Amino acid sequence: MMNLMQSLRQYCVALLIFSAISFGLVGCKSVSSNDTVDYKTVGAVRGPNLSFPPDLITAQADRRYIVQDGTATMSEYNAAVKKSVQTRKNVMTGIPGMRIARDGERRWLVVEKPAPELYPQIKDFWQENGFLLVIDSPSTGIMETDWAENRAKIAQDFIRSTIGRVLDSLYDTGERDKYKIRLEVSKPGETEIYITHRGSIEKCVSDSTATCISTVWTARPSDPELEAVFLARLMERLGMTQEQAKAQVAVPLDRKTQKAKLVQEGVNTAHIELASGFDRAWRDTGLALDRSNFTVEDRNRANGIFYVRYVNPKDLGDTKGFFANLFSSKDDSSLKAKKYLVIVKSTSDKSSSVYVQNADGKPENTPAGLQLLTLLTEQMSR
């Protein structure tokens, strides 16, 4: 349902249309779209209001960032992609052995190319699709996009169809998405590419009369289907045909997921037990970190170490909640981040354990350490 601010925007749009038509300033324009993914890139800064947290960055639409649904014609999209590919000299013509790998409900892309060769291609892919990167680390193979809005979720009602995108900025979905991309070297000459989604949603804060008096941004579940969309598009960018990419992503997932077990040995002493060997435990830990409020700064697969930063929402001291800070151009939250080591250890061919240490490499036997392990356990068990 539309929240209060979306209703107000609709009302304002209606008034503007009425005025524009009365003075003959705006003609009717029919707009129809079957887009299921259509994000906006970063541009101008909006002032604070009930619908946007302070310093939220918004922008004008970039029509390059479009994914059609399965029932729509793909001719226009294919023509745009073909033109883009032909005009870029560094686009690969195809990679033998490129494939989608699966484990439970997780998908990732395996490419038979070294990570240093792939990184510039993948960076170009996100930028060509209208994203800004807030993390761009070729040395670690880690990227992270800025928050973006999926404009395709806005209903094509009479008002929006009449004015097209002239007053499009007055509409808002109340949702934001961002993506983390991580390149892992599984073996010489082969790279695994992980794309993970994080989402947030704007919710009303009501008073005693159930009247919406303000809004806050809160987390919403990760969407595996959005991850699959971009895995398929990346495969196309690297040379696979659209039909081949869609066919690989469309293979059903095995809904049986590994259950992680949190083992407590004392008041705050704990670790996670996984019924899997090191390779799967390393992969699941990495994905759990990507989907949580962790920032992976570096990692050492040989020693089973993830070097991470974590911001505890309670440390921000903001009554509006942590997500009110996520869209801010000010990097105040990084000042509150603490560094940890997340350690993955193999205990046998079919079992592994995960531990949390502080920045000095000592066991984090504190409430914070237990909280981090609890968050990772929840993510690994989904």
Side-chain angles (χ1 to χ4, degrees):
M1 294 180 64
M2 285 190 180
N3 59 29
L4 175 62
M5 290 312 302
Q6 288 173 315
S7 298
L8 289 174
R9 290 190 196 100
Q10 289 268 354
Y11 177 72
C12 291
V13 171
L15 290 177
L16 286 170
I17 292 175
F18 178 78
S19 300
I21 292 176
S22 299
F23 289 98
L25 298 177
V26 177
C28 293
K29 178 181 178 181
S30 177
V31 176
S32 61
S33 174
N34 290 312
D35 301 342
T36 57
V37 178
D38 180 6
Y39 288 94
K40 299 180 73 176
T41 56
V42 174
V45 177
R46 283 181 178 240
N49 55 43
L50 287 178
S51 188
F52 295 89
D55 300 322
L56 174 62
I57 298 175
T58 60
Q60 297 181 0
D62 187 333
R63 298 298 295 172
R64 293 173 299 174
Y65 190 7
I66 298 172
V67 177
Q68 307 276 8
D69 63 22
T71 59
T73 175
M74 302 300 293
S75 57
E76 182 179 354
Y77 168 72
N78 285 334
V81 171
K82 183 177 180 181
K83 181 178 180 181
S84 175
V85 170
Q86 289 175 342
T87 56
R88 297 191 62 86
K89 295 181 180 179
N90 64 340
V91 174
M92 296 181 181
T93 57
I95 302 176
M98 182 167 56
R99 66 190 186 279
I100 292 290
R102 294 170 176 77
D103 189 354
E105 294 189 343
R106 293 147 172 101
R107 296 183 184 95
W108 65 96
L109 180 59
V110 179
V111 183
E112 293 181 2
K113 283 284 184 179
E117 293 184 25
L118 287 170
Y119 190 95
Q121 299 284 333
I122 298 171
K123 177 180 177 179
D124 284 350
F125 165 77
W126 290 100
Q127 292 179 333
E128 289 166 0
N129 280 281
F131 281 101
L132 293 183
L133 296 179
V134 295
I135 295 179
D136 176 11
S137 178
S139 62
T140 61
I142 296 173
M143 306 176 208
E144 183 174 333
T145 74
D146 204 352
W147 291 95
E149 180 187 24
N150 186 357
R151 303 290 290 178
K153 290 189 174 182
I154 297 177
Q156 291 290 333
D157 56 16
F158 169 77
I159 296 175
R160 191 164 184 248
S161 298
T162 301
I163 64 173
R165 295 187 177 273
V166 175
L167 301 175
D168 203 34
S169 62
L170 294 174
Y171 287 82
D172 188 80
T173 63
E175 294 184 2
R176 298 294 184 271
D177 303 300
K178 74 184 310 179
Y179 298 88
K180 293 184 179 180
I181 304 93
R182 181 163 45 87
L183 280 65
E184 289 279 356
V185 178
S186 54
K187 60 183 180 181
E190 185 173 277
T191 305
E192 297 175 351
I193 303 168
Y194 298 89
I195 298 176
T196 53
H197 165 261
R198 289 182 63 197
S200 62
I201 187 169
E202 188 181 25
K203 291 188 176 181
C204 279
V205 176
S206 302
D207 59 16
S208 57
T209 64
T211 301
C212 182
I213 57 176
S214 65
T215 61
V216 295
W217 292 91
T218 60
R220 78 177 202 274
S222 298
D223 189 339
E225 296 310 311
L226 282 175
E227 297 169 357
V229 165
F230 286 104
L231 281 172
R233 292 196 64 173
L234 179 57
M235 294 175 80
E236 293 181 52
R237 175 62 171 80
L238 296 178
M240 185 172 284
T241 68
Q242 185 181 87
E243 291 74 17
Q244 290 172 328
K246 290 177 66 175
Q248 287 218 24
V249 171
V251 175
L253 294 172
D254 181 1
R255 296 301 175 183
K256 295 180 180 179
T257 57
Q258 171 179 234
K259 295 298 181 182
K261 181 181 179 182
L262 181 63
V263 179
Q264 289 191 251
E265 302 161 342
V267 177
N268 294 313
T269 304
H271 68 276
I272 301 172
E273 290 185 354
L274 300 171
S276 61
F278 177 82
D279 287 344
R280 181 174 180 180
W282 176 263
R283 180 170 59 247
D284 286 354
T285 302
L287 288 169
L289 290 169
D290 290 343
R291 289 198 169 104
S292 304
N293 191 36
F294 292 88
T295 297
V296 178
E297 293 187 323
D298 204 351
R299 60 207 183 283
N300 185 328
R301 185 184 177 111
N303 294 328
I305 304 174
F306 288 94
Y307 300 88
V308 306
R309 285 189 292 113
Y310 176 74
V311 179
N312 189 332
K314 295 181 181 179
D315 293 338
L316 292 174
D318 186 345
T319 56
K320 292 183 179 180
F322 174 65
F323 276 83
N325 293 275
L326 285 183
F327 303 106
S328 176
S329 59
K330 302 176 182 178
D331 196 19
D332 298 335
S333 62
S334 64
L335 301 177
K336 302 288 186 178
K338 296 181 180 179
K339 295 187 177 183
Y340 299 93
L341 308 182
V342 177
I343 313 295
V344 182
K345 293 184 178 180
S346 175
T347 54
S348 72
D349 292 341
K350 295 183 178 180
S351 63
S352 303
S353 297
V354 180
Y355 301 84
V356 172
Q357 298 179 354
N358 61 26
D360 297 324
K362 298 179 181 179
E364 185 66 28
N365 296 330
T366 64
L370 180 59
Q371 179 189 14
L372 301 188
L373 287 170
T374 301
L375 288 172
L376 291 177
T377 303
E378 292 173 353
Q379 284 291 339
M380 291 179 182
S381 300
R382 290 181 178 177

